[in-house]
């Protein structure tokens, strides 16, 4: 997940929003129990109107037990 998170930050810094979102999705896929990462993906996806990805990420957070973001 850290590699994809770093890639997402680089893509975002370069203004490549679609690529940044894809990197966020890959980071979450590689670490689906990371509540902070799920929240970050959910917010970013919602900002880019990718409601499906945002819902999936936020739903994952609500299903997690005993973790705090």
């Amino acid at each position: 997940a850290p590699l994809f998170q770093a890639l997402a930050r680089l893509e975002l810094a370069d203004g490549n929003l679609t690529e940044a979102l894809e990197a966020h999705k890959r980071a979450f896929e590689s670490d689906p129990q990371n509540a902070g990462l799920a929240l970050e993906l959910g917010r970013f996806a919602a900002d880019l109107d990718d409601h499906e990805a945002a819902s999936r990420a936020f739903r994952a957070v609500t299903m997690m037990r005993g973790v705090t973001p």
Side-chain angles (χ1 to χ4, degrees), residues 1-56:
L3 178 64
F4 290 115
Q5 285 178 289
L7 178 59
R9 282 189 214 91
L10 288 172
E11 294 291 5
L12 188 58
D14 285 344
N16 301 324
L17 301 181
T18 302
E19 291 83 357
L21 179 59
E22 290 306 313
H24 271 99
K25 288 178 182 178
R26 302 264 323 256
F28 178 63
E29 288 170 5
S30 70
D31 190 3
Q33 293 302 310
N34 185 327
L37 183 56
L39 286 172
E40 185 178 331
L41 170 59
R43 287 186 206 116
F44 190 63
D47 286 346
L48 294 180
D49 294 326
D50 187 338
H51 302 292
E52 183 179 333
S55 293
R56 192 170 38 251

